[in-house]
Amino acid sequence: MPDLTTVSRTDETHLRHAIEAARASREVGNHPFGAVLVTGEDIIIEGQNTVVTLGDPTGHAETNLVRIAATLLARDALHSSTLYTSTEPCAMCAGAIYWAGIGRVVYALPEEQLAAMVPRQDGEATLDLPCREVFARGGNSVTVAGPALLAEAAEVHAGFWNARP
């Protein structure tokens, strides 16, 4: 049985898809974050960030994905799925993933590396709370693997945050 806490080549393939979703999000004016949900071998849902275009501060890629997934999949299907994300889920997204019952998360860029790139937003710093800590506080298990593909994941953020007003 594979170790689900390490990132495999298959995981890297799905992470690259999430990074491309982040790139697509950036191209339409949103923050560069993307996520995909995989059940078995198939990507079934892709999520992009919509914070800017929809004016919703909760429109993170993972949260958008969870909203769709929860309406389409049964709880047991969610539990056996893996959510791949271009950047470590924030506390809000980790909570959504936890409450949806998704069983595994694989991320590329760690939160602390993102925080080093992002200037204080509207006088507020990013929320520094690793997803593993959020998941550890719950009664259900969420397996986490990552970080991985750091250079590829960081590249989609290059120049974005320092170009913002």
Side-chain angles (χ1 to χ4, degrees), residues 62-150:
E62 301 91 338
T63 305
N64 287 337
L65 182 149
V66 166
R67 286 183 185 119
I68 296 165
T71 64
L72 297 177
L73 300 172
R75 185 121 174 124
D76 60 334
L78 288 168
H79 186 69
S80 64
S81 296
T82 299
L83 187 148
Y84 294 89
T85 182
S86 62
T87 307
E88 181 175 2
C90 72
M92 175 186 70
C93 292
I97 291 163
Y98 176 83
W99 288 115
I102 294 170
R104 183 170 182 247
V105 172
V106 181
Y107 67 89
L109 191 71
E111 190 280 331
E112 71 245 5
Q113 194 169 340
L114 174 66
M117 288 187 242
V118 179
R120 293 177 70 82
Q121 301 172 12
D122 299 322
E124 296 295 325
T126 59
L127 184 58
D128 183 12
L129 184 58
C131 69
R132 284 179 174 91
E133 288 185 37
V134 175
F135 296 139
R137 300 294 179 133
N140 297 321
S141 171
V142 178
T143 302
V144 179
L149 305 177
L150 299 180

